[in-house]
Amino acid sequence: MGTDGSEADAGTDPTSAQVEVAAETFRMLASGTRLRLVWTLVNQELDVSSLAEAIGAAVPTVSQHLAKMRLAGLISSRRDGRRIFYTVDDPHVVSMVREIFDHIAPDGSLAPDPPATGT
């Protein structure tokens, strides 16, 4: 973002702080389990047991990943009685995750760019 809160200009280099936070965000999403969790939470709000079942992982493993991602600001949580529900409500994280999966074909190859329109 620019100093006025707008998105950074195309010609403006990111600050060192921006680069470090971006690198940490990508490190957090470099785990297949975390990326699968984020993708699942982009589409629905779930508790740890439901998430573990949805991605086929153990509850303690999912719980540890959720704690790290919550601290990193990638996911948020809310308490409902004794249960904690997790979601991705940051539109930037939602957009980033959707963009990467739009760019990768189901077979794992990079999807071709859509044809340019209006030319």
Side-chain angles (χ1 to χ4, degrees), residues 49-69:
S49 297
S50 299
L51 272 167
E53 184 177 331
I55 71 162
V59 170
T61 300
V62 169
S63 183
Q64 288 178 359
H65 284 297
L66 291 171
K68 289 177 183 178
M69 290 190 301

Side-chain angles (χ1 to χ4, degrees), residues 65-108:
H65 284 297
L66 291 171
K68 289 177 183 178
M69 290 190 301
R70 194 167 55 83
L71 285 172
L74 294 175
I75 64 171
S76 59
S77 63
R78 72 171 179 85
R79 182 175 290 280
D80 185 5
R82 297 180 70 188
R83 295 169 57 192
I84 298 174
F85 289 87
Y86 297 89
T87 191
V88 176
D89 54 12
D90 182 332
H92 297 97
V93 174
V94 170
S95 176
M96 182 174 52
V97 171
R98 284 192 173 142
E99 284 289 325
I100 193 62
F101 285 118
D102 284 348
H103 188 60
I104 301 171
D107 67 359

Side-chain angles (χ1 to χ4, degrees), residues 27 47 97:
R27 274 192 290 275
D47 67 357
V97 171

